[in-house]
Amino acid sequence: MENPFRDGGPAEKVMPYLSLIISAILLAEGVRMHREGASLFWPLGASFLMLSACHAIYRQIRSQRERV
């Protein structure tokens, strides 16, 4: 049985998409919290995480194109 956590394995391919989903949930929750009076840093931090997840997906797609 192969290790799913090796370089190029299934876990490495799925991780950027999972982080995008989680950061989108955090962004929605941060916006909701900010509307209720919480700090502005919650949605700002979540948007930074979302941008970094989008960048990771872009890098993954770009590296797949270069292999072909």
Side-chain angles (χ1 to χ4, degrees), residues 10-46:
E12 186 176 350
K13 293 177 183 176
V14 170
M15 193 60 68
Y17 297 101
L18 286 176
S19 63
L20 181 64
I21 292 169
I22 291 170
S23 61
I25 293 169
L26 285 174
L27 180 60
E29 188 67 21
V31 168
R32 186 192 63 79
M33 288 172 56
H34 179 64
R35 286 182 186 162
E36 294 177 358
S39 174
L40 181 63
F41 289 109
W42 285 105
L44 288 177

Side-chain angles (χ1 to χ4, degrees), residues 3 5-6 10 15 17 20 24-25 28 30 32 36 38-39 41-42 44 46 49 58 60-62 64 66-67:
N3 183 4
F5 298 104
R6 73 184 187 329
M15 193 60 68
Y17 297 101
L20 181 64
I25 293 169
R32 186 192 63 79
E36 294 177 358
S39 174
F41 289 109
W42 285 105
L44 288 177
L49 289 174
Y58 171 76
Q60 183 182 31
I61 291 172
R62 180 132 180 165
Q64 289 173 355
E66 291 175 359
R67 287 187 210 153

